[in-house]
Amino acid sequence: MGVDAVITWVDGADPAHRARLGAYLQSIGSAPPAARAARFHDAGEIDWCVASILRHAPWIGRIFIVADAQTPPLLARIAGTPLGERIRIVDHREIFAGFERFLPTFNSRAIISALWRIPGLAERFVYFNDDFSLLRPVREQDFFRDGKVVVRGQWMRQSHRRPGRRIVQALKRLRGTQPDRAGNHDAQELSAKLAGFADRYYRMFHNPYPMRRSTLQAFFDERPALLESNLAHRLRSSAQFKAEVLAAHLEIAHGDAVFDNTLHTVQLKPRQQSPRRVRAKMAAADREGKTAFACVQSLELADADLQAEIIGWLRRHVGEPA
């Protein structure tokens, strides 16, 4: 009953990837918000992600890196070593087997919906964005406990139970100018509804997500059209659910979830947060001891001094990825 890790990764600077994306955007005649270049940037964050798993979660067995005909440089560095046997690249064609007509895809929600189809994946796995890192040692029990899945978040009412939210949504519809933003909260609400939660949902915090392969497999075996519809979107869409949130709600519905917010995430966004704010968040994470996960978004957009500070901070917590 081992536990695997799954990391989704893309290098948007790869000429082949840019050509595939460009060809698709030309075919639809537009470049929606979901195609912004920042979604596909790579600043080597996956090195910190993998290194942090190896250092702080040695109980994890294999590490699967899901990519589109790409291989991160770290694979060349560990080739021929024992680590090389634990880390494997999984191509989109493997998890989209039978759905190849929806490739290439540039949509993380579609990709996450198919992670459970990785050949040889353990029943229990933890899904990581490539910009996540573990900051300190974590235990298997922080993700799977007493035969159940640990979920982190808070209960919220669905939008139709919140008058203020209904008014805002109605105004947006009346304006008719809102782009398909594929909002996180709306997608979480939809995911909960699919699991039978009509009036409330457990809004998932942004962190590594523990999941059970059989939970999603059983659900989609009974609803193959639902899986197909989520895979069909080449770019993120407001019509999509989030598989990691759906999986959590299925576990909650079955009585197989443990609610525990002891550990949490620090989100560093150099593109949106001031340098002072970023430094304050790093200092707070160092002090309080329960910040186990870091999400560093758009590291390449930080100025040189701040970028060096963030990398130095990661190095202190994770070690040297090389």
Side-chain angles (χ1 to χ4, degrees):
M1 292 293 292
V3 179
D4 290 340
V6 178
I7 307 169
T8 52
W9 175 75
V10 62
D11 177 8
D14 173 21
H17 177 271
R18 292 172 64 180
R20 288 192 292 272
L21 177 58
Y24 175 68
L25 295 179
Q26 185 175 17
S27 73
I28 64 175
S30 65
R36 286 195 302 265
R39 290 194 180 277
F40 312 106
H41 282 168
D42 171 55
E45 296 95 338
I46 193 171
D47 288 20
W48 300 101
C49 182
V50 171
S52 74
I53 293 171
L54 295 173
R55 178 176 183 180
H56 293 315
W59 45 271
I60 283 180
R62 293 162 297 181
I63 300 175
F64 295 92
I65 300 174
V66 179
D68 178 18
Q70 295 179 317
T71 302
L74 71 90
L75 267 295
R77 297 200 299 270
I78 63 173
T81 72
L83 287 181
E85 299 177 2
R86 289 180 60 190
I87 303 174
R88 184 171 86 80
I89 292 292
V90 178
D91 192 82
H92 288 178
R93 290 170 296 181
E94 295 184 65
I95 60 176
F96 275 71
F99 300 99
E100 291 89 351
R101 60 192 178 279
F102 302 135
L103 293 176
T105 186
F106 313 97
N107 184 346
S108 61
R109 289 184 187 170
I111 296 164
I112 297 167
S113 299
L115 294 182
W116 61 274
R117 305 178 89 228
I118 294 174
L121 180 66
E123 160 68 0
R124 300 179 300 162
F125 65 97
V126 182
Y127 160 60
F128 292 79
N129 288 103
D130 63 355
D131 55 8
F132 265 106
S133 295
L134 300 174
L135 297 179
R136 49 182 46 87
V138 293
R139 305 168 302 161
E140 181 179 327
Q141 291 79 9
D142 293 321
F143 299 91
F144 300 95
R145 190 181 309 160
D146 301 325
K148 300 181 179 181
V149 174
V150 177
V151 295
R152 298 178 172 89
Q154 62 181 13
W155 284 108
M156 301 286 293
R157 287 181 294 173
Q158 291 272 4
S159 292
H160 72 275
R161 302 288 292 178
R162 289 181 281 157
R165 181 70 183 279
R166 292 203 306 269
I167 293 172
V168 171
Q169 291 179 331
L171 289 173
K172 289 180 178 180
R173 287 194 296 270
L174 285 172
R175 293 191 188 107
T177 57
Q178 293 296 316
D180 183 359
R181 298 184 62 84
N184 172 51
H185 294 167
D186 292 339
Q188 293 212 34
E189 289 192 26
L190 173 60
S191 304
K193 289 176 182 176
L194 293 174
F197 292 83
D199 294 324
R200 62 176 186 159
Y201 71 107
Y202 194 69
R203 182 182 291 177
M204 302 290 290
F205 295 151
H206 197 44
N207 55 204
Y209 299 97
M211 303 165 72
R212 292 199 290 192
R213 181 177 187 174
S214 60
T215 298
L216 287 172
Q217 181 172 359
F219 182 82
F220 289 129
D221 280 350
E222 294 183 359
R223 303 164 185 83
L226 188 61
L227 174 62
E228 181 173 354
S229 68
N230 226 45
L231 298 181
H233 296 275
R234 305 287 185 99
L235 293 171
R236 188 175 297 184
S237 166
S238 60
Q240 289 184 291
F241 58 84
K242 301 186 72 171
E244 64 273 34
V245 178
L246 170 64
H249 281 83
L250 291 172
E251 302 293 4
I252 294 170
H254 299 155
D256 290 326
V258 175
F259 302 93
D260 188 346
N261 288 325
T262 304
L263 302 179
H264 50 87
T265 301
V266 57
Q267 290 186 265
L268 305 180
K269 303 177 181 180
R271 185 166 60 95
Q272 302 174 18
Q273 299 163 347
S274 69
R276 180 177 180 180
R277 177 64 173 154
V278 170
R279 294 182 181 108
K281 290 170 78 73
M282 290 191 293
D286 291 340
R287 286 194 308 269
E288 63 98 45
K290 292 299 182 181
T291 304
F293 320 119
C295 178
V296 183
Q297 298 179 357
S298 301
L299 175 62
E300 73 285 351
L301 298 181
D303 64 55
D305 290 342
L306 183 59
Q307 188 172 141
E309 288 183 51
I310 294 173
I311 290 175
W313 179 75
L314 287 171
R315 184 176 286 114
R316 290 195 299 274
H317 284 280
V318 177
E320 179 57 59

